[in-house]
Amino acid sequence: SYELTQPLSVSVALGQTARITCGGNNIGSKNVHWYQQKPGQAPVLVIYRDSNRPSGIPERFSGSNSGNTATLTISRAQAGDEADYYCQVWDSSTYVVFGGGTKLTVL
Amino acid sequence: EVQLVESGGGLVQPGGSLRLSCAASGFTFSSYWMSWVRQAPGKGLEWVANIKQDGSEKYYVDSVKGRFTISRDNAKNSLYLQMNSLRAEDTAVYYCARVRELEWFDPWGQGTLVTVSS
């Protein structure tokens, strides 16, 4: 079965750039989607198909995907960006796979 | 406004049953695949099941196959999850979500909590 690996936690200084990785075998050949989940709330889509932002998501959120790693980049990090972030792919054999999630802390 | 509202969660004993519902509004429900995704307390997201627009195709994660049934009523703009033979490890918040392009989920409902305990 296909697996996605995320770091448990990432810290970033206020106003700096945070990068959250999502590792998977040849993930660059798949479309990767990212969700933000704040405590007590439902997940919200922030990036779809590697690098596309839904309407309403700030330009500070961007994504890339190549080789065995996809990356969610949050520029000019704000306190309001503190949340859990999950990557996700649609795999032909296991249908839907989520990464384990990364807790982003803004210092 | 696109909206999904889950209901039906609660406390149930091991081996019991529960039926979750998800009311959809603000979009043409019958045009989209739909899904259930769950999240155990303090844990990550786990996909549970998908259903095609007309209900003709359904897919499940292995851990719920034979116990859970996903269904929909397009006339009522509603999605359902019938959960039987519930186990402690099924304890989670259950979210319904609209599937986009058979790839990603947007939006998600607010979730409903299912607790399996004696």
Side-chain angles (χ1 to χ4, degrees):
Chain A
S1 63
Y2 195 77
E3 295 184 358
L4 296 174
T5 302
Q6 297 182 236
L8 283 176
S9 62
V10 168
S11 298
V12 61
L14 186 67
Q16 297 304 302
T17 298
R19 294 178 178 84
I20 299 172
T21 59
C22 176
N25 184 33
N26 197 26
I27 195 173
S29 67
K30 301 181 181 295
N31 290 327
V32 179
H33 320 292
W34 291 90
Y35 304 89
Q36 175 194 68
Q37 186 180 34
K38 296 182 179 179
Q41 297 184 20
V44 173
L45 178 74
V46 293
I47 293 288
Y48 66 96
R49 284 182 177 166
D50 298 340
S51 59
N52 295 277
R53 277 178 295 103
S55 59
I57 300 301
E59 292 183 7
R60 301 184 297 103
F61 287 80
S62 62
S64 62
N65 184 19
S66 179
N68 293 316
T69 305
T71 303
L72 172 68
T73 300
I74 306 171
S75 304
R76 303 182 298 284
Q78 302 176 359
D81 298 332
E82 280 206 345
D84 293 328
Y85 291 84
Y86 294 90
C87 57
Q88 175 250 316
V89 300
W90 200 287
D91 179 73
S92 59
S93 61
T94 53
Y95 303 113
V96 181
V97 182
F98 287 99
T102 298
K103 180 178 180 60
L104 177 68
T105 301
V106 180
L107 304 172
Chain B
E1 177 193 6
V2 175
Q3 195 170 13
L4 299 169
V5 179
E6 302 93 336
S7 61
L11 175 63
V12 61
Q13 292 187 340
S17 298
L18 212 54
R19 189 197 196 204
L20 306 184
S21 299
C22 171
S25 60
F27 65 102
T28 305
F29 179 73
S30 59
S31 296
Y32 291 87
W33 282 74
M34 296 293 295
S35 284
W36 288 98
V37 178
R38 68 184 178 183
Q39 186 172 35
K43 302 297 184 182
L45 301 171
E46 180 184 37
W47 167 74
V48 174
N50 290 338
I51 186 168
K52 194 177 179 179
Q53 290 93 329
D54 62 359
S56 61
E57 294 183 34
K58 304 175 184 181
Y59 302 96
Y60 302 91
V61 68
D62 285 348
S63 60
V64 309
K65 284 179 182 176
R67 300 188 300 121
F68 290 11
T69 301
I70 189 172
S71 63
R72 63 192 297 162
D73 185 336
N74 288 339
K76 295 183 178 179
N77 291 334
S78 292
L79 177 72
Y80 306 102
L81 186 68
Q82 177 66 44
M83 304 185 295
N84 299 331
S85 302
L86 283 161
R87 307 166 179 167
E89 53 265 36
D90 296 318
T91 294
V93 173
Y94 285 73
Y95 297 99
C96 72
R98 183 177 67 172
V99 180
R100 300 299 310 276
E101 309 297 328
L102 261 189
E103 288 196 44
W104 66 89
F105 303 104
D106 182 53
W108 300 55
Q110 88 288 350
T112 187
L113 175 62
V114 173
T115 303
V116 184
S117 175
S118 55

